[in-house]
Short mmCIF file of all heavy atoms in Angstrom, two decimals:
data_model
loop_
_atom_site.label_atom_id
_atom_site.label_comp_id
_atom_site.label_asym_id
_atom_site.label_seq_id
_atom_site.Cartn_x
_atom_site.Cartn_y
_atom_site.Cartn_z
N SER A 108 -6.41 -15.16 6.86
CA SER A 108 -6.69 -15.99 5.65
C SER A 108 -7.63 -17.11 5.96
O SER A 108 -7.95 -17.38 7.17
CB SER A 108 -5.33 -16.60 5.24
OG SER A 108 -4.81 -17.43 6.31
N GLY A 109 -8.11 -17.71 4.87
CA GLY A 109 -9.00 -18.93 4.96
C GLY A 109 -10.25 -18.62 5.75
O GLY A 109 -10.88 -17.50 5.65
N PRO A 110 -10.77 -19.53 6.58
CA PRO A 110 -12.00 -19.38 7.24
C PRO A 110 -12.09 -18.15 8.17
O PRO A 110 -13.11 -17.60 8.39
CB PRO A 110 -12.15 -20.68 8.04
CG PRO A 110 -11.31 -21.64 7.34
CD PRO A 110 -10.16 -20.92 6.75
N ASP A 111 -10.92 -17.80 8.76
CA ASP A 111 -10.94 -16.64 9.73
C ASP A 111 -11.24 -15.36 9.00
O ASP A 111 -12.04 -14.55 9.44
CB ASP A 111 -9.55 -16.53 10.31
CG ASP A 111 -9.23 -17.62 11.32
OD1 ASP A 111 -10.21 -18.26 11.80
OD2 ASP A 111 -8.05 -17.87 11.59
N LEU A 112 -10.65 -15.17 7.81
CA LEU A 112 -10.97 -14.00 7.02
C LEU A 112 -12.46 -14.03 6.48
O LEU A 112 -13.13 -12.96 6.50
CB LEU A 112 -10.00 -13.87 5.89
CG LEU A 112 -10.26 -12.62 4.97
CD1 LEU A 112 -10.26 -11.30 5.72
CD2 LEU A 112 -9.18 -12.60 3.82
N GLU A 113 -12.80 -15.23 5.98
CA GLU A 113 -14.16 -15.25 5.51
C GLU A 113 -15.25 -14.97 6.60
O GLU A 113 -16.26 -14.33 6.29
CB GLU A 113 -14.46 -16.77 4.96
CG GLU A 113 -15.85 -16.88 4.28
CD GLU A 113 -15.98 -18.30 3.66
OE1 GLU A 113 -15.03 -18.74 2.95
OE2 GLU A 113 -16.99 -18.85 3.78
N ALA A 114 -15.03 -15.50 7.74
CA ALA A 114 -15.95 -15.25 8.87
C ALA A 114 -16.01 -13.69 9.12
O ALA A 114 -17.04 -13.32 9.77
CB ALA A 114 -15.44 -15.99 10.08
N ALA A 115 -15.02 -12.93 8.87
CA ALA A 115 -14.95 -11.54 9.24
C ALA A 115 -15.50 -10.73 7.96
O ALA A 115 -15.44 -9.53 7.93
CB ALA A 115 -13.60 -11.06 9.60
N GLY A 116 -16.00 -11.32 6.94
CA GLY A 116 -16.35 -10.64 5.72
C GLY A 116 -17.35 -9.51 5.95
O GLY A 116 -17.24 -8.42 5.24
N ARG A 117 -18.34 -9.70 6.72
CA ARG A 117 -19.32 -8.58 6.94
C ARG A 117 -18.63 -7.37 7.61
O ARG A 117 -18.98 -6.25 7.25
CB ARG A 117 -20.52 -9.12 7.74
CG ARG A 117 -21.44 -10.00 7.00
CD ARG A 117 -22.75 -10.32 7.65
NE ARG A 117 -23.69 -10.96 6.80
CZ ARG A 117 -24.97 -10.82 6.86
NH1 ARG A 117 -25.50 -9.96 7.76
NH2 ARG A 117 -25.80 -11.37 5.99
N TYR A 118 -17.83 -7.63 8.55
CA TYR A 118 -17.07 -6.54 9.25
C TYR A 118 -16.28 -5.78 8.21
O TYR A 118 -16.15 -4.54 8.29
CB TYR A 118 -16.25 -7.05 10.34
CG TYR A 118 -15.66 -5.88 11.21
CD1 TYR A 118 -16.35 -5.30 12.19
CD2 TYR A 118 -14.27 -5.64 11.05
CE1 TYR A 118 -15.80 -4.23 12.91
CE2 TYR A 118 -13.67 -4.66 11.74
CZ TYR A 118 -14.37 -3.93 12.61
OH TYR A 118 -13.76 -2.92 13.38
N VAL A 119 -15.53 -6.53 7.36
CA VAL A 119 -14.68 -5.92 6.36
C VAL A 119 -15.55 -5.00 5.54
O VAL A 119 -15.11 -3.78 5.22
CB VAL A 119 -13.95 -6.99 5.58
CG1 VAL A 119 -13.26 -6.30 4.31
CG2 VAL A 119 -12.91 -7.72 6.39
N ALA A 120 -16.62 -5.56 4.93
CA ALA A 120 -17.42 -4.65 4.07
C ALA A 120 -17.96 -3.42 4.80
O ALA A 120 -17.95 -2.37 4.32
CB ALA A 120 -18.61 -5.56 3.60
N GLN A 121 -18.44 -3.60 6.00
CA GLN A 121 -18.96 -2.49 6.85
C GLN A 121 -17.94 -1.45 6.96
O GLN A 121 -18.14 -0.21 6.85
CB GLN A 121 -19.36 -2.98 8.20
CG GLN A 121 -19.77 -1.96 9.24
CD GLN A 121 -19.85 -2.41 10.59
OE1 GLN A 121 -20.87 -3.07 10.86
NE2 GLN A 121 -18.87 -2.14 11.45
N GLU A 122 -16.69 -1.85 7.40
CA GLU A 122 -15.61 -0.86 7.73
C GLU A 122 -15.22 -0.16 6.45
O GLU A 122 -14.89 1.11 6.49
CB GLU A 122 -14.39 -1.62 8.32
CG GLU A 122 -14.66 -1.94 9.75
CD GLU A 122 -15.09 -0.83 10.66
OE1 GLU A 122 -14.23 -0.09 10.99
OE2 GLU A 122 -16.30 -0.67 11.01
N LEU A 123 -15.15 -0.86 5.37
CA LEU A 123 -14.81 -0.15 4.04
C LEU A 123 -15.77 0.89 3.72
O LEU A 123 -15.40 2.00 3.43
CB LEU A 123 -14.71 -1.18 2.88
CG LEU A 123 -13.46 -1.88 2.63
CD1 LEU A 123 -13.67 -2.96 1.56
CD2 LEU A 123 -12.35 -0.90 2.17
N VAL A 124 -17.06 0.54 3.90
CA VAL A 124 -18.13 1.57 3.48
C VAL A 124 -18.07 2.71 4.44
O VAL A 124 -18.16 3.94 4.01
CB VAL A 124 -19.42 0.89 3.42
CG1 VAL A 124 -20.62 1.97 3.25
CG2 VAL A 124 -19.57 -0.17 2.31
N LEU A 125 -18.03 2.48 5.76
CA LEU A 125 -18.07 3.60 6.66
C LEU A 125 -16.83 4.54 6.50
O LEU A 125 -16.98 5.71 6.65
CB LEU A 125 -18.09 3.01 8.12
CG LEU A 125 -19.49 2.43 8.52
CD1 LEU A 125 -19.31 1.84 9.94
CD2 LEU A 125 -20.50 3.56 8.55
N LEU A 126 -15.70 3.96 6.24
CA LEU A 126 -14.50 4.79 6.07
C LEU A 126 -14.67 5.57 4.74
O LEU A 126 -14.30 6.82 4.73
CB LEU A 126 -13.24 3.91 5.91
CG LEU A 126 -12.74 3.40 7.25
CD1 LEU A 126 -11.72 2.22 7.08
CD2 LEU A 126 -12.17 4.48 8.13
N VAL A 127 -15.15 5.04 3.79
CA VAL A 127 -15.43 5.84 2.48
C VAL A 127 -16.50 6.90 2.75
O VAL A 127 -16.34 7.98 2.30
CB VAL A 127 -15.73 4.86 1.37
CG1 VAL A 127 -16.28 5.68 0.06
CG2 VAL A 127 -14.62 4.01 0.91
N GLN A 128 -17.56 6.48 3.32
CA GLN A 128 -18.55 7.55 3.64
C GLN A 128 -18.08 8.71 4.50
O GLN A 128 -18.33 9.84 4.28
CB GLN A 128 -19.74 6.86 4.33
CG GLN A 128 -20.61 6.01 3.37
CD GLN A 128 -21.79 5.34 4.06
OE1 GLN A 128 -21.68 4.95 5.28
NE2 GLN A 128 -22.88 5.19 3.38
N ALA A 129 -17.26 8.32 5.49
CA ALA A 129 -16.69 9.42 6.32
C ALA A 129 -15.86 10.30 5.53
O ALA A 129 -15.87 11.53 5.65
CB ALA A 129 -15.88 8.76 7.56
N GLY A 130 -14.98 9.75 4.69
CA GLY A 130 -14.10 10.58 3.80
C GLY A 130 -14.88 11.45 2.85
O GLY A 130 -14.53 12.61 2.72
N LEU A 131 -15.96 10.90 2.28
CA LEU A 131 -16.82 11.74 1.36
C LEU A 131 -17.44 12.84 2.04
O LEU A 131 -17.40 13.98 1.63
CB LEU A 131 -17.83 10.79 0.71
CG LEU A 131 -17.32 9.81 -0.36
CD1 LEU A 131 -18.40 8.86 -0.70
CD2 LEU A 131 -16.83 10.57 -1.59
N LEU A 132 -17.97 12.60 3.24
CA LEU A 132 -18.72 13.69 4.02
C LEU A 132 -17.67 14.71 4.55
O LEU A 132 -17.98 15.94 4.65
CB LEU A 132 -19.52 13.12 5.16
CG LEU A 132 -20.69 12.16 4.67
CD1 LEU A 132 -21.37 11.64 5.96
CD2 LEU A 132 -21.64 12.96 3.80
N ARG A 133 -16.55 14.34 5.00
CA ARG A 133 -15.53 15.20 5.54
C ARG A 133 -14.92 16.08 4.41
O ARG A 133 -14.63 17.28 4.67
CB ARG A 133 -14.39 14.40 6.18
CG ARG A 133 -14.81 13.80 7.49
CD ARG A 133 -13.67 13.04 8.12
NE ARG A 133 -12.82 13.93 8.81
CZ ARG A 133 -11.43 13.98 8.68
NH1 ARG A 133 -10.86 13.09 7.91
NH2 ARG A 133 -10.75 14.79 9.42
N ARG A 134 -14.97 15.57 3.18
CA ARG A 134 -14.53 16.39 2.09
C ARG A 134 -15.60 17.36 1.50
O ARG A 134 -15.20 18.49 1.09
CB ARG A 134 -14.00 15.53 0.94
CG ARG A 134 -12.64 14.93 1.08
CD ARG A 134 -12.00 14.44 -0.15
NE ARG A 134 -12.80 13.55 -0.97
CZ ARG A 134 -12.81 12.22 -0.80
NH1 ARG A 134 -12.06 11.67 0.13
NH2 ARG A 134 -13.64 11.50 -1.62
N HIS A 135 -16.83 16.85 1.59
CA HIS A 135 -17.87 17.59 0.74
C HIS A 135 -19.07 18.08 1.51
O HIS A 135 -19.73 19.01 0.98
CB HIS A 135 -18.36 16.69 -0.31
CG HIS A 135 -17.27 16.18 -1.26
ND1 HIS A 135 -16.34 16.90 -1.93
CD2 HIS A 135 -16.83 14.88 -1.49
CE1 HIS A 135 -15.56 16.13 -2.66
NE2 HIS A 135 -15.75 14.86 -2.38
N ALA A 136 -19.29 17.54 2.67
CA ALA A 136 -20.56 18.04 3.44
C ALA A 136 -20.09 19.08 4.43
O ALA A 136 -18.95 19.28 4.77
CB ALA A 136 -21.18 16.81 4.13
N PRO A 137 -21.17 19.82 4.96
CA PRO A 137 -20.81 20.82 5.95
C PRO A 137 -20.17 20.12 7.18
O PRO A 137 -20.39 18.99 7.48
CB PRO A 137 -22.21 21.28 6.44
CG PRO A 137 -23.05 21.09 5.18
CD PRO A 137 -22.54 19.82 4.59
N GLN A 138 -19.21 20.81 7.83
CA GLN A 138 -18.39 20.27 8.93
C GLN A 138 -19.13 19.71 9.98
O GLN A 138 -18.89 18.65 10.57
CB GLN A 138 -17.43 21.40 9.43
CG GLN A 138 -16.39 20.75 10.45
CD GLN A 138 -15.45 21.77 10.94
OE1 GLN A 138 -15.29 22.78 10.37
NE2 GLN A 138 -14.75 21.42 12.00
N GLY A 139 -20.25 20.44 10.39
CA GLY A 139 -21.10 19.94 11.50
C GLY A 139 -21.64 18.61 11.16
O GLY A 139 -21.78 17.63 12.04
N LEU A 140 -22.06 18.35 9.98
CA LEU A 140 -22.70 17.13 9.57
C LEU A 140 -21.66 15.99 9.55
O LEU A 140 -21.92 14.91 10.01
CB LEU A 140 -23.33 17.22 8.18
CG LEU A 140 -24.24 16.07 7.64
CD1 LEU A 140 -25.31 16.62 6.71
CD2 LEU A 140 -23.36 15.02 6.91
N ALA A 141 -20.52 16.30 8.93
CA ALA A 141 -19.42 15.33 8.81
C ALA A 141 -18.90 14.98 10.21
O ALA A 141 -18.61 13.76 10.53
CB ALA A 141 -18.23 15.83 7.98
N ASP A 142 -18.71 15.91 11.08
CA ASP A 142 -18.31 15.63 12.43
C ASP A 142 -19.26 14.68 13.11
O ASP A 142 -18.85 13.85 13.94
CB ASP A 142 -18.03 16.91 13.26
CG ASP A 142 -16.89 17.78 12.70
OD1 ASP A 142 -16.10 17.11 12.01
OD2 ASP A 142 -16.81 18.94 13.16
N ALA A 143 -20.58 15.06 13.00
CA ALA A 143 -21.58 14.11 13.64
C ALA A 143 -21.56 12.76 13.20
O ALA A 143 -21.69 11.86 13.86
CB ALA A 143 -22.96 14.77 13.42
#
């Protein structure tokens, strides 16, 4: 909470996006591409 969470804001955004991208590629892209 507070300043500690705010200071981690960029990491939170990055992890959210990478997890969503990984999920999309694992569901819809060729396996070799998703695994890579």
Side-chain angles (χ1 to χ4, degrees):
S108 61
D111 292 336
L112 179 57
E113 183 174 318
R117 286 191 169 214
Y118 183 80
V119 169
Q121 169 193 289
E122 290 300 289
L123 269 177
V124 173
L125 286 175
L126 286 166
V127 169
Q128 287 180 325
L131 288 170
L132 295 181
R133 293 180 75 227
R134 283 200 306 274
H135 305 301
Q138 183 176 346
L140 188 153
D142 289 347

